[in-house]
Amino acid sequence: MKVLLVEDDKDLAAGLVKVLQTESFLVCHSARGSDAKSQFTQFQPDLVILDLGLPDIDGIQVLKYFRSQKKETPVLILTARDGLADKVNALDIGADDYLAKPFDLAELLARLRVMTRRLGTASSSKIQVGNVVLDIAAHALMVNGEAVRLPRKEYMVLKTLMEEAGRVKTKEMLENNLYEWGEEIGSNAIEVHISNLRKKLPEQFIKTIRGVGYTVSRNDNQ
Ligand code: CA
């Protein structure tokens, strides 16, 4: 698995290269946006880790370039914690995931595993559980072959549950995920999103694990 790491912080980059190599990734590192653009074409990475604060070109412009070249290569964005507008912007342009600095290495590796798994299961970046298909590239939901409209927050909640089907997600985990993408969270937000989602999904698709959280089963026979 080839990873293009775009990060101008020398120490952080050196640490990340080491960890990624230990995890058997083949790593190409660029410290500048211009290098990243040429490496993207030459190295043909399977995944990209992109810092938005680069010395020469705005990371958002680099992301736009990647998307104009190869739409499906998953991109994980790194940025400063206060870069709220950047996060939303990056999501709109088609970043697949986001981590705020400083981040935990274990968390980064977990996110990469999710991205890798998605690559392995479907080249079209679709997640399917039973008759429910979530198209990550198109941000679209299909239930029993019919397109269903999803507001962004509901999409984010469902994506998290389906990506990690078989695992229980606590309300806090789902909230944190929304929060990282720069969404405002009301006190009953997750309950409301889950309740809205259930109206659009097959019965018992999202299960409540009492006192713990929510889960989507790996397949539809329970
Ligand atoms: Ca930087």
Side-chain angles (χ1 to χ4, degrees), residues 142-209:
M142 300 281 285
V143 179
N144 296 321
E146 303 234 356
V148 177
R149 230 193 68 76
L150 271 194
R152 183 154 96 185
K153 291 181 196 180
E154 288 174 31
Y155 167 82
M156 292 301 296
V157 170
L158 184 61
K159 177 167 168 273
T160 306
L161 288 170
M162 285 181 71
E163 269 176 348
E164 300 200 52
R167 294 199 184 178
V168 179
K169 290 289 178 186
T170 65
K171 198 181 139 207
E172 288 71 30
M173 285 168 165
L174 295 170
E175 271 174 1
N176 286 342
N177 207 34
L178 282 183
Y179 182 72
E180 280 186 2
W181 283 103
E183 305 286 358
E184 289 292 327
I185 314 243
S187 54
N188 297 317
I190 296 298
E191 283 91 336
V192 172
H193 296 325
I194 294 280
S195 155
N196 288 335
L197 279 167
R198 279 180 169 150
K199 290 173 195 154
K200 299 165 188 171
L201 292 163
E203 215 174 308
Q204 282 299 304
F205 185 79
I206 299 176
K207 297 182 186 69
T208 301
I209 309 297

Side-chain angles (χ1 to χ4, degrees), residues 22-192:
T22 313
E23 295 286 315
S24 320
F25 285 105
L26 188 61
V27 190
C28 172
H29 170 236
S30 306
R32 299 170 65 83
S34 53
D35 299 339
K37 282 185 176 180
S38 53
Q39 290 296 355
F40 186 78
T41 320
Q42 284 164 29
F43 182 61
Q44 299 271 325
D46 300 302
L47 296 172
V48 178
I49 302 173
L50 173 65
D51 175 31
L52 287 185
L54 296 169
D56 56 337
I57 312 174
D58 183 352
I60 293 285
Q61 296 307 319
V62 179
L63 175 62
K64 275 187 183 159
Y65 175 80
F66 291 163
R67 282 291 168 254
S68 71
Q69 296 298 302
K70 248 189 150 180
K71 291 187 169 51
E72 68 275 19
T73 309
V75 178
L76 173 73
I77 295 293
L78 303 178
T79 192
R81 197 165 278 282
D82 55 1
L84 194 91
D86 283 346
K87 289 176 217 172
V88 176
N89 208 349
L91 175 62
D92 287 343
I93 296 167
D96 295 81
D97 207 346
Y98 162 83
L99 268 182
K101 291 180 182 179
F103 53 84
D104 190 39
L105 277 180
E107 178 68 21
L108 174 76
L109 292 174
R111 303 286 183 97
L112 289 180
R113 272 195 295 277
V114 169
M115 289 165 85
T116 311
R117 211 180 308 142
R118 204 188 297 153
L119 272 179
T121 48
S123 53
S124 57
S125 70
K126 285 179 182 152
I127 310 174
Q128 178 157 14
V129 178
N131 292 329
V132 178
V133 180
L134 197 64
D135 186 331
I136 303 297
H139 282 209
L141 172 68
M142 300 281 285
V143 179
N144 296 321
E146 303 234 356
V148 177
R149 230 193 68 76
L150 271 194
R152 183 154 96 185
K153 291 181 196 180
E154 288 174 31
Y155 167 82
M156 292 301 296
V157 170
L158 184 61
K159 177 167 168 273
T160 306
L161 288 170
M162 285 181 71
E163 269 176 348
E164 300 200 52
R167 294 199 184 178
V168 179
K169 290 289 178 186
T170 65
K171 198 181 139 207
E172 288 71 30
M173 285 168 165
L174 295 170
E175 271 174 1
N176 286 342
N177 207 34
L178 282 183
Y179 182 72
E180 280 186 2
W181 283 103
E183 305 286 358
E184 289 292 327
I185 314 243
S187 54
N188 297 317
I190 296 298
E191 283 91 336
V192 172

